[in-house]
C-alpha cells in the first residue's frame, strides 16, 4: 500500500507537470504563443510554414507538450524528432525536459534521469521561473521513482520559494513525506545546510522520538530555533496533526501467546524486557495469557474484559487471527502478531509480524534503484513461495522492471538444470552479467539451498550476476566457512542482526544469548511490539510516521497492517555486514 501511495504521488505530479503550459520564449523576434486552444496538429501545421527555424521549433515544442498532456506519447516523440537542429539553450532544455517526461510516463526512469542530470540543464537557475519549476519537479518525481528520496527532497526544497497557494502547500506536504521516508541513519549523516538541512533536522527530531509527547516537544524546540524556515511559517499538514493528537494510554495490556512454544517465549521475552526498561512501566500492568487455554477468541475476550484489559497483544496463531478478521467489531483494541489471509478486518484489529512479502517488495525497490531492469526469480515451490514472488513481481512491474523467467525450487537435485534454464532467459550477457548490466536474480531460499544456488552461479561463470535475496538465506548464526558461498549477495535483514547498540537489545542478549543468533528476529519482534503500543493511533492517523524498530522501520498501511522497511546486508568472507547504501 505504501508503494501504491508513492505511485499515486508520482502520477499526480506528472499530471501537474503536464497541466502547466509551456510559456513562450521571450525573444523579441519571436511571436508569443499563448493560445492554449490550438490543437497540436494546428501548431505542427504552423511550424511547417515557418522559414525561421527557431519559431518552427517553438511551435513543435508546444505541440509535443500538448500531446504529452493527452497521453499521446508516440506523437509527442515523433514531434520532438522533427525538431530542426541548433536549438537555442532554452529550447534544448524544454526539449530534453519533454523527452524526460515521456520517459517517466513509460516508466523508463533511467533515461529520464540521464536527460535531467545532463549538462543541458547547466545554469538552469538563470532560466525563467516556470521552466525551473517544471524541470525540478520532474527531477523530483524521477528521483523518488528511482528510490532516492533525499535527492527528490532537494529539488522540491529548491523551488519552494517560487510557489504559492495550494501548490506551495502541496509541495510542503510532499517535502515532509519525502523527509520522513529517509532512514534515520541517513538523516543523521546528511550534511545539507540551509532550507533543505532544516527539513532533514526536523524529520530527525520527529523520527528519533519514542513517544508522541517527545515528538511534540522536539517539534516545538525546532520551531523555536528555526522561526523563518518554511516548515515553521507554513507547516505541513501532517506536522499540524501531530501537534493536535492526544496520546492513547493503555494501563492494562494483555499478551496472548502459546507460551510453551520456544518461538513464542522469544517474542514474549523481547516484549517484557522492553517493558521493564520503559520509563512508564510503573503505570502499566502486563498480564500474560496462554492461548491454548482458550477454544476461541470470544472465550479469551470474555476473560480479558473481566480482567479489565485495554489492549491485547496477540494472538499469533493463524486460525485465531483469521477468526478475528471475520468479526465486525472487537471488544478490545488488538495488535495481532500475524496477518489475515484477506484485507477485511474490524476497526479495532491491527496486524504485525515478520512478513516476507515486505522483504520481497524491498528487494524490488532496491534492485530497481541500483539500475536493474531485467530479473529472473527462484523461489520455493508451494503457496508460500508464490505469495513472496507475487509481492516482488507486483512491486517490480509497478516500478517498470521486467520478469524474464521464474523457477520454483522443488527438489535440490534439479537445481543445476533449473539454474541454467533460468539464467539463460536473461537478455544481453545473461549469466555473465555484471553490475554494469541491468540484469539480476531474485532469490528466496533457505540457507543450504541459497548456498547451492550461489555456488552453481559461480560454476557457470555467473559469479558477478547481481543477486538480491530475503533474510531467509541467513540462519542468524555466523558461520564463515558455510556462508562464504554467499559472498556479495545482497539481502534484507533486521537492524537487530546488523547492530547491537540499542540498550534494550544489549540487555536481552546478556540475559538470553540465543537472542544474538537463531532467535534474534523474534526477540526484535517482541521489542518492537512493545514500542508500537503507544504509537498505534499516531501511525494510523499519520501515514508518513514511522517507528525506528529493531525488526525494521515500521509504518501502518490503510488495512491497519504494520509494514517493515529493512536495511540491507551482504556477506564478506562469509560474515554478515551492512551493505553499502544506495545513493539517497
Amino acid at each position: 500500500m505504501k508503494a501504491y501511495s508513492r505511485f499515486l504521488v508520482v502520477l499526480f505530479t506528472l499530471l501537474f507537470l503536464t497541466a502547466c503550459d509551456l510559456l513562450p520564449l521571450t525573444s523579441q523576434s519571436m511571436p508569443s504563443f499563448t493560445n492554449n486552444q490550438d490543437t497540436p496538429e494546428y501548431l505542427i501545421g504552423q511550424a511547417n510554414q515557418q522559414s525561421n527555424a527557431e519559431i518552427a521549433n517553438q511551435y513543435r515544442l508546444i505541440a509535443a507538450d500538448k500531446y504529452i498532456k493527452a497521453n499521446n506519447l508516440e506523437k509527442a516523440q515523433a514531434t520532438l524528432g522533427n525538431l530542426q537542429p541548433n536549438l537555442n539553450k532554452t529550447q534544448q532544455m524544454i526539449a530534453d525536459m519533454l523527452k524526460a517526461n515521456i520517459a517517466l510516463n513509460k516508466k523508463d526512469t533511467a533515461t529520464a534521469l540521464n536527460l535531467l542530470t545532463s549538462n543541458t540543464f547547466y545554469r538552469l537557475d538563470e532560466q525563467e521561473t516556470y521552466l525551473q519549476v517544471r524541470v525540478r519537479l520532474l527531477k523530483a518525481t524521477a528521483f523518488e521513482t528511482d528510490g532516492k528520496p533525499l535527492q527528490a527532497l532537494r529539488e522540491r526544497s529548491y523551488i519552494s520559494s517560487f510557489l504559492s497557494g495550494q501548490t506551495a502547500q502541496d509541495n510542503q506536504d510532499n517535502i515532509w513525506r519525502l523527509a520522513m521516508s529517509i532512514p534515520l541513519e541517513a538523516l543523521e549523516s546528511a550534511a545539507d545546510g540551509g532550507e533543505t538541512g532544516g527539513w532533514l533536522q526536523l524529520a530527525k527530531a520527529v523520527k528519533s522520538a519514542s513517544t508522541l509527547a517527545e515528538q511534540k516537544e522536539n517539534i516545538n524546540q525546532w520551531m523555536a530555533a528555526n522561526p523563518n524556515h518554511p516548515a515553521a511559517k507554513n507547516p505541513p499538514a501532517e506536522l499540524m496533526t501531530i501537534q493536535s493528537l492526544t496520546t492513547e494510554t493503555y494501563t492494562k495490556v494483555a499478551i496472548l501467546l502459546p507460551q510453551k512454544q520456544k518461538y513464542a517465549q522469544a517474542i514474549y521475552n523481547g516484549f517484557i524486557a522492553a517493558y521493564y526498561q520503559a520509563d512508564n512501566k510503573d503505570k502499566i500492568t502486563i498480564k500474560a495469557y496462554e492461548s491454548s487455554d482458550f477454544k476461541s477468541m470470544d472465550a479469551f475476550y470474555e476473560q480479558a474484559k473481566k480482567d479489565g484489559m485495554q489492549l491485547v497483544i496477540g494472538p499469533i496463531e493463524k486460525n485465531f487471527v483469521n477468526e478475528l478478521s471475520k468479526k465486525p467489531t472487537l471488544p478490545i483494541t488488538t495488535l495481532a502478531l500475524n496477518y489475515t489471509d484477506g484485507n477485511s478486518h474490524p476497526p479495532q484489529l491491527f496486524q504485525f509480524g515478520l512478513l516476507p512479502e515486505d522483504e520481497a517488495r524491498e528487494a524490488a525497490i532496491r534492485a530497481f534503484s541500483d539500475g536493474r531492469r531485467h530479473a529472473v526469480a527462484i523461489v520455493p515451490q508451494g503457496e508460500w513461495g508464490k505469495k513472496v514472488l507475487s509481492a516482488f513481481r507486483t512491486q517490480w512491474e509497478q516500478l517498470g522492471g521486467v520478469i524474464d523467467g521464474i523457477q520454483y525450487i522443488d527438489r535440490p537435485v534439479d537445481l543445476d538444470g533449473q539454474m541454467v534454464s533460468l539464467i539463460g532467459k536473461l537478455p544481453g550477457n545473461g549469466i555473465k552479467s555484471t553490475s554494469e548490466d541491468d540484469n539480476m536474480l531474485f532469490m528466496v531460499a533457505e540457507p543450504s539451498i541459497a548456498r547451492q544456488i550461489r555456488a552453481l552461479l559461480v560454476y557457470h561463470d555467473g559469479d558477478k550476476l547481481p543477486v538480491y535475496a530475503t533474510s531467509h538465506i541467513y540462519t542468524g548464526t555466523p558461520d564463515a566457512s558455510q556462508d562464504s558461498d554467499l559472498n556479495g549477495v545482497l539481502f534484507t535483514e533486521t537492524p537487530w542482526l546488523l547492530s547491537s547498540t540499542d540498550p534494550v537489545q544489549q540487555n536481552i542478549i546478556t540475559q538470553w544469548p540465543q537472542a544474538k543468533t537463531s532467535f534474534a528476529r523474534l526477540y526484535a519482534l517482541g521489542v518492537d511490539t512493545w514500542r508500537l503500543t503507544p504509537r498505534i493511533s499516531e501511525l494510523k492517523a499519520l501515514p508518513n510516521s514511522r517507528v525506528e524498530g529493531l525488526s525494521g522501520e515500521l509504518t501502518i498501511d490503510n488495512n491497519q497492517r504494520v509494514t517493515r522497511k529493512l536495511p540491507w546486508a551482504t556477506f564478506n568472507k562469509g560474515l554478515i555486514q551492512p551493505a553499502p547504501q544506495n545513493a539517497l
Side-chain angles (χ1 to χ4, degrees), residues 14-178:
L14 288 175
L15 290 173
F16 168 78
L17 289 168
T18 55
C20 300
D21 285 312
L22 286 177
L23 299 182
L25 300 180
T26 57
S27 171
Q28 293 182 354
S29 63
M30 182 175 295
S32 176
F33 307 120
T34 58
N35 187 353
N36 292 331
Q37 301 305 311
D38 291 336
T39 65
E41 292 77 15
Y42 172 81
L43 293 167
I44 291 172
Q46 290 295 306
N48 292 335
Q49 297 175 26
Q50 296 297 322
S51 58
N52 183 302
E54 191 175 25
I55 296 176
N57 284 334
Q58 177 75 352
Y59 273 120
R60 289 192 174 93
L61 288 169
I62 299 172
D65 193 38
K66 288 179 176 289
Y67 277 133
I68 294 172
K69 291 178 192 177
N71 202 32
N72 194 335
L73 304 182
E74 301 308 317
K75 285 191 174 182
Q77 274 186 313
T79 302
L80 292 173
N82 289 328
L83 290 170
Q84 298 181 39
N86 301 320
L87 294 168
N88 66 45
K89 185 169 181 61
T90 301
Q91 287 181 329
Q92 187 63 61
M93 285 189 187
I94 293 172
D96 282 3
M97 178 190 70
L98 294 178
K99 290 175 185 177
N101 204 333
I102 292 169
L104 271 182
N105 275 284
K106 291 185 173 183
K107 297 186 177 181
D108 185 358
T109 313
T111 295
L113 283 172
N114 284 338
L115 286 163
L116 293 168
T117 57
S118 70
N119 289 335
T120 298
F121 296 96
Y122 177 64
R123 300 176 77 169
L124 172 64
D125 55 351
E126 295 179 1
Q127 294 292 323
E128 295 289 333
T129 299
Y130 81 91
L131 185 55
Q132 293 189 53
V133 169
R134 280 200 62 171
V135 170
R136 291 191 182 278
L137 278 177
L138 199 63
K139 284 178 73 176
T141 302
F143 279 134
E144 182 177 359
T145 304
D146 201 41
K148 296 177 172 61
L150 178 54
Q151 294 188 54
L153 185 152
R154 287 168 178 152
E155 297 297 333
R156 285 188 172 275
S157 179
Y158 188 93
I159 62 170
S160 62
S161 62
F162 298 152
L163 306 176
S164 61
Q166 188 58 46
T167 304
Q169 184 63 57
D170 291 344
N171 192 57
Q172 295 276 85
D173 292 341
N174 276 305
I175 289 174
W176 181 246
R177 176 180 55 79
L178 290 165

Side-chain angles (χ1 to χ4, degrees), residues 266 354 471 474-479 483 493-494 496-500 505 508-510 512-524 575-576:
L354 304 178
S471 62
Y474 182 47
T475 62
T477 302
D479 190 337
D483 289 331
E493 188 50 89
T494 58
W496 183 287
L497 283 168
L498 291 174
S499 175
S500 57
Q505 177 189 13
I508 288 173
I509 291 172
T510 300
W512 298 286
Q514 67 268 33
K516 195 174 182 179
T517 54
S518 56
F519 285 94
R521 299 179 185 105
L522 294 172
Y523 279 93
L575 296 176
I576 185 176

Side-chain angles (χ1 to χ4, degrees), residues 2-12 107 144 398:
K2 293 288 180 185
Y4 179 68
S5 300
R6 186 175 74 170
F7 168 74
L8 289 178
V9 170
V10 169
L11 175 62
F12 292 148
K107 297 186 177 181
E144 182 177 359
Q398 185 183 100

Side-chain angles (χ1 to χ4, degrees), residues 533-573:
T533 54
R535 303 281 297 277
I536 291 175
S537 297
E538 175 195 346
L539 292 176
K540 180 182 177 182
L542 303 169
N544 295 319
S545 286
R546 290 160 168 78
V547 170
E548 298 287 333
L550 292 171
S551 65
E553 185 182 68
L554 312 177
T555 60
I556 291 182
D557 68 15
N558 290 341
N559 290 315
Q560 298 187 176
R561 293 176 170 227
V562 178
T563 62
R564 297 180 303 140
K565 181 178 180 180
L566 284 83
W568 283 87
T570 189
F571 288 101
N572 182 27
K573 297 180 180 179

Side-chain angles (χ1 to χ4, degrees), residues 300-449:
F300 163 73
Y301 280 125
E302 183 178 350
Q303 182 61 52
K305 285 174 65 179
K306 288 180 181 178
D307 295 338
M309 296 295 112
Q310 300 165 332
L311 175 70
V312 173
I313 304 299
I316 197 170
E317 296 93 332
K318 193 76 169 180
N319 60 318
F320 277 164
V321 178
N322 282 330
E323 178 188 338
L324 294 181
S325 71
K326 298 172 184 177
K327 296 181 180 295
T329 186
L330 300 180
I332 306 173
T333 299
T334 299
L335 177 61
L337 297 181
N338 207 330
Y339 295 88
T340 63
D341 290 330
N343 289 328
S344 61
H345 60 86
Q348 299 84 8
L349 178 63
F350 296 83
Q351 301 162 62
F352 178 38
L354 304 178
L355 196 67
E357 287 93 320
D358 289 339
E359 301 185 38
R361 284 184 280 268
E362 281 299 304
I365 293 169
R366 171 66 189 251
F368 194 86
S369 180
D370 285 346
R372 316 292 166 234
R373 295 298 180 266
H374 290 269
V376 290
I378 187 161
V379 300
Q381 184 73 267
E383 198 61 34
W384 184 86
K386 289 179 180 178
K387 281 185 178 181
V388 181
L389 174 63
S390 176
F392 173 83
R393 183 172 202 157
T394 299
Q395 181 69 70
W396 183 246
E397 293 180 343
Q398 185 183 100
L399 289 169
V402 176
I403 299 280
D404 292 287
I406 299 167
Q407 284 284 359
Y408 293 96
I409 306 168
D410 188 12
R411 297 184 304 167
V413 70
D414 296 331
L415 265 180
D416 191 17
Q418 285 182 302
M419 288 303 299
V420 171
S421 172
L422 180 64
I423 303 302
K425 295 177 182 178
L426 284 170
N429 291 323
I431 197 168
K432 294 187 178 181
S433 297
T434 70
S435 59
E436 300 300 316
D437 300 298
D438 65 357
N439 294 333
M440 63 161 286
L441 168 67
F442 173 59
M443 176 172 67
V444 182
E446 63 181 43
S448 61
I449 300 295

Side-chain angles (χ1 to χ4, degrees), residues 211-233:
T211 64
L212 180 60
E214 189 178 343
Q215 282 185 330
K216 291 181 177 182
E217 181 180 353
N218 289 355
I219 291 170
N220 290 334
Q221 289 178 355
W222 183 91
M223 293 276 189
N226 300 273
N228 296 318
H229 191 277
K233 291 182 175 180

